Amino acid sequence: MLVELGHFALVLAFFIACVQTVLPLIGAHFGRRALMDLAAPAALVHLVLIAFSFCVLTYAFVRSDFSVKLVVENSHTLKPMLYKVAGVWGNHEGSMLLWVLILALFGAAAALFGANLPTTLKARVIAVQGSIGVAFLAFILFTSNPFVRLATPPMDGQDLNPLLQDPGLAFHPPFLYLGYVGLSMTFSFAVAALLEGRVDAAWGRWVRPWTLAAWVFLTIGIGLGSWWAYYELGWGGFWFWDPVENASFMPWLFAAALLHSAIVVEKRESLKAWTILLAILAFGFSLIGTFLVRSGVITSVHAFANDPERGIFILMILGVFMGGALILFSLRAASMESRGVFAVASRETALILNNILLAVAAFVVFIGTIWPLVAEAFWDRKLSVGAPFFDAAFTPFFTALAIILPIGAMMPWKRAKISTVLRKLIPSMVLAFAVLALVFVMQTGKSLLGPIGLGLGIWLLSGATQDIASKLGKKRDLSRLLRLPRADWGRFLAHGGLGITIAGIAGLTAWTVEDIRVVQVGEAFEVAGYTITLDNVARKQGPNYITTMADMTLFDGAQKIATLHPEKRNYPVAGMPTTEAGIDSGFLRDVYVVIGDVQSNGGWAVRTYVKPLANWIWGGTIIMALGGLMSLTDRRYRVAAGARKTALTPKGVPAE
């Protein structure tokens, strides 16, 4: 009965979303306050209904209710509780329910925290958000119902994909969805502004916190996914340019561009049309990612579904929302004239260049991702676009972006002297070039990738530090640091974290040492100055798997520094093996060991990597996310421009 109530709640949520969409838009168009006031309570009821439905599905997974088809296909009685819960979104239907739950959550947040928004704009934002909910609730109800019952329930389930039975994958999808779906708010603000026919500084201030929140969640989600791929897949890589990895990376790039562009709208009332377009594209690429994962057009360990009919439905949603928004954008382009005038050398220009590089980088990733599909559809050719293309095509744009970031951050608005800015950054330049030269001299017979990446990382980190130091004044009053806006500290952490991540990527890519050999139990071998001994290999029983676990001792010279336990697991129910690497993590390097199959001579296949600066990648990602969170706590993001509220409210419509 409870399962049927969960399904009924979804149906009811669909009709509430229709009310949330239609009536507030009519009220905003005709200036009827009563209809506009329906937006907020409808959004809250919408959230409550979907939350109830999600809780019902979670309860079915927790208690192993095998009368529900989705539970049978993605759970098992022996599965640990964490993965029973994660199984709710570790599949297509459940993940879509989480998708609409987060969508409703953002709509309700706009209703609760949008008190400073003009009445008509608030009604339209919530209505547009509701329209997205209508589309995806229809998608769930007609193609992806998570509450389908089985006439004859089995005694046990088929288990969750073993690759998803990991803490990294338990938390990675919810954070990604918070980012993906969070960009729906920027889309809703953009469409609402187009319907209003007005984009100004107040709109830029209102849209920034929503964009920033989505960017932070995407950063965390991408970082968790990268970390999982590094330690779980056994290949020792952190990024594989997988189509689904790209699907989350492209919205991240557009969100970063939108964050910087919205600053120009807020501060200078320029780049209005471009910022609106970025808001549309950012969410549009989130929908493209949803299509790639669920349509069956690509093959990936991340893919949720292989159903072309579902893909067509999502493609229709993408066409309606993107097509409608772009048509509205073209009709309203004349009303988005820029007011601010600025010189070529100015912060505005630097931010434009920043936007161009981020957008072009995103389109490079997009072309590389879809080109095999295009080649197969039009020329019947099966092509594979791999890391060499992405590395060669993407890296130059991101390198240029890293070079200009510290310079642009220190430029004044409207007019600047580049020589003055560069003079302030001389210490950062000297330090970056010194590190680059030192590393290049110390390495022998290797590429410039490592030294250049490390130099860029130091340039970004020291440039961000110099930006903060420049705010101390000529007297270097350290007490001024305590009075700096949190957004300034957020920028420092975000730019510095990016520098640390770039340095980590360069170090791991350029200087990784790999060793593959067959090792007998009791035998010791050396890799990159470390000695590793294979002490024992034993079969053990896990909660829902059987594992072959090795005990390996790591020595640095004569000193024992760690005992590693790499595993090779087999999940009997799913019939699928997984690899669990043994990793000794350090500040400057990881020693990464993988146990393979037993060989004919009784030895074991062992792969060993020494990976310099590996943890800098995820440490920098965490720092970037912390920077975004710190900026989000800045009072200027929480308090909208109340003085603009009256101006933005049409005549005859009372302000809240």
Side-chain angles (χ1 to χ4, degrees):
M1 180 63 182
L2 191 61
V3 170
E4 282 69 32
L5 286 175
H7 186 203
F8 178 73
L10 271 187
V11 175
L12 192 56
F14 172 79
F15 288 107
I16 294 295
C18 291
V19 172
Q20 177 185 337
T21 301
V22 176
L23 296 184
L25 286 178
I26 294 173
H29 184 74
F30 292 103
R32 295 184 180 180
R33 177 63 180 266
L35 292 179
M36 287 188 285
D37 285 345
L38 287 174
L44 295 174
V45 173
H46 182 194
L47 172 63
V48 169
L49 289 169
I50 295 179
F52 173 77
S53 183
F54 187 82
C55 289
V56 167
L57 186 63
T58 303
Y59 180 70
F61 270 85
V62 168
R63 67 185 295 267
S64 297
D65 183 355
F66 296 122
S67 69
V68 179
K69 181 181 178 182
L70 195 66
V71 178
V72 172
E73 293 175 346
N74 296 278
S75 193
H76 191 273
T77 52
L78 297 178
K79 192 167 64 172
M81 182 57 68
L82 172 63
Y83 306 130
K84 286 186 178 181
V85 175
V88 177
W89 55 79
N91 57 83
H92 167 70
E93 290 84 357
S95 65
M96 286 309 305
L97 187 57
L98 178 63
W99 213 99
V100 294
L101 174 64
I102 295 172
L103 186 72
L105 179 65
F106 275 100
L112 291 173
F113 303 113
N116 289 324
L117 293 174
T119 307
T120 54
L121 182 65
K122 179 180 177 180
R124 283 174 168 141
V125 167
I126 296 173
V128 175
Q129 193 74 3
S131 70
I132 302 171
V134 169
F136 279 96
L137 282 168
F139 174 68
I140 291 175
L141 292 171
F142 293 121
T143 72
S144 310
N145 181 10
F147 296 107
V148 173
R149 290 276 199 182
L150 291 176
T152 308
M155 293 297 294
D156 216 331
Q158 300 171 12
D159 210 355
L160 179 67
N161 183 339
L163 286 175
L164 303 180
Q165 295 186 41
D166 180 87
L169 259 290
F171 299 106
H172 158 66
F175 277 107
L176 267 189
Y177 291 169
L178 283 165
Y180 274 143
V181 184
L183 289 172
S184 67
M185 283 304 301
T186 66
F187 177 84
S188 296
F189 267 93
V191 173
L194 291 172
L195 292 170
E196 294 263 317
R198 184 164 188 168
V199 180
D200 60 4
W203 179 87
R205 175 165 291 186
W206 288 320
V207 81
R208 280 181 68 195
W210 299 104
T211 308
L212 185 57
W215 180 85
V216 167
F217 288 129
L218 268 177
T219 302
I220 296 171
I222 291 171
L224 282 172
S226 172
W227 179 56
W228 167 81
Y230 173 71
Y231 71 78
E232 176 68 21
L233 297 183
W235 305 335
F238 67 96
W239 194 262
F240 303 97
W241 294 108
D242 181 279
V244 182
E245 289 177 332
N246 296 346
S248 62
F249 191 43
M250 291 183 287
W252 185 87
L253 292 169
F254 277 113
L258 177 58
L259 270 177
H260 293 86
S261 179
I263 297 173
V264 183
V265 176
E266 179 187 349
K267 301 291 186 182
R268 301 289 300 148
E269 293 211 34
S270 296
L271 302 186
K272 295 178 183 179
W274 172 246
T275 304
I276 291 287
L277 183 60
L278 279 177
I280 295 170
L281 290 176
F283 182 59
F285 273 83
S286 293
L287 293 179
I288 289 172
T290 304
F291 168 74
L292 290 175
V293 176
R294 301 172 194 279
S295 62
V297 297
I298 55 110
T299 302
S300 167
V301 296
H302 303 77
F304 276 117
N306 187 16
D307 187 345
E309 290 184 5
R310 289 173 177 170
I312 291 172
F313 202 120
I314 296 174
L315 208 56
M316 290 171 60
I317 294 174
L318 175 65
V320 168
F321 282 96
M322 287 293 291
L326 291 174
I327 290 171
L328 186 58
F329 173 79
S330 65
L331 295 175
R332 295 290 195 183
S335 65
M336 292 182 285
E337 295 180 1
S338 297
R339 297 180 183 177
V341 178
F342 51 89
V344 173
S346 63
R347 181 176 290 192
E348 291 94 329
T349 301
L351 288 170
I352 291 172
L353 187 56
N354 162 290
N355 271 224
I356 291 172
L357 290 171
L358 284 168
V360 171
F363 279 114
V364 166
V365 176
F366 176 65
I367 291 170
T369 303
I370 68 162
W371 188 249
L373 306 179
V374 173
E376 186 173 0
F378 289 96
W379 298 289
D380 197 25
R381 295 181 59 189
K382 291 189 177 295
L383 300 178
S384 177
V385 178
F389 166 81
F390 290 106
D391 291 342
F394 177 83
T395 302
F397 296 106
F398 218 77
T399 300
L401 177 69
I403 292 171
I404 69 166
L405 264 182
I407 300 171
M410 294 186 66
M411 279 188 171
W413 295 102
K414 196 172 181 178
R415 185 175 289 105
K417 288 186 178 180
I418 295 181
S419 58
T420 303
V421 176
L422 292 178
R423 192 158 47 245
K424 293 179 181 178
L425 285 168
I426 285 176
S428 298
M429 293 181 195
V430 171
L431 179 60
F433 277 111
V435 169
L436 190 156
L438 178 63
V439 173
F440 178 71
V441 170
M442 290 176 63
Q443 72 172 19
T444 55
K446 296 184 179 179
S447 71
L448 278 170
L449 174 63
I452 290 176
L454 208 58
L456 279 176
I458 294 297
W459 164 246
L460 278 167
L461 184 58
S462 59
T465 305
Q466 188 63 40
D467 182 23
I468 287 290
S470 68
K471 300 181 185 303
L472 298 178
K474 293 182 179 180
K475 295 183 179 180
R476 297 296 178 185
D477 181 6
L478 294 177
S479 66
R480 297 181 67 174
L481 290 176
L482 300 176
R483 300 192 296 273
L484 285 178
R486 292 181 185 178
D488 288 349
W489 283 109
R491 183 173 69 246
F492 163 72
L493 290 173
H495 289 183
L498 179 61
I500 293 171
T501 296
I502 288 175
I505 291 172
L508 185 147
T509 305
W511 301 319
T512 290
V513 175
E514 180 180 3
D515 179 88
I516 303 175
R517 65 176 69 209
V518 176
V519 184
Q520 300 287 339
V521 173
E523 183 181 351
F525 60 97
E526 291 190 5
V527 179
Y530 295 96
T531 301
I532 303 172
T533 302
L534 177 60
D535 299 316
N536 185 44
V537 181
R539 286 172 64 85
K540 298 183 179 181
Q541 179 69 51
N544 60 332
Y545 59 84
I546 301 169
T547 180
T548 300
M549 179 184 293
D551 300 324
M552 307 181 76
T553 306
L554 176 65
F555 295 89
D556 186 358
Q559 181 183 3
K560 175 183 174 180
I561 57 177
T563 300
L564 306 178
H565 303 285
E567 299 179 57
K568 192 174 183 65
R569 294 178 180 176
N570 181 53
Y571 291 77
V573 175
M576 181 176 176
T578 66
T579 299
E580 305 290 327
I583 304 175
D584 178 57
S585 296
F587 180 70
L588 294 177
R589 59 91 187 114
D590 277 1
V591 178
Y592 183 110
V593 183
V594 177
I595 190 76
D597 295 323
V598 65
Q599 304 298 300
S600 57
N601 63 355
W604 293 86
V606 175
R607 268 185 298 142
T608 308
Y609 303 92
V610 177
K611 294 187 168 292
L613 309 185
N615 287 301
W616 289 29
I617 298 173
W618 302 288
T621 302
I622 293 169
I623 292 171
M624 278 192 282
L626 287 175
L629 288 172
M630 181 166 284
S631 293
L632 204 55
T633 63
D634 194 308
R635 185 175 181 274
R636 293 176 298 175
Y637 291 140
R638 300 196 306 271
V639 180
R644 306 291 298 177
K645 182 179 175 181
T646 303
L648 285 171
T649 304
K651 187 175 180 180
V653 177
E656 289 183 343

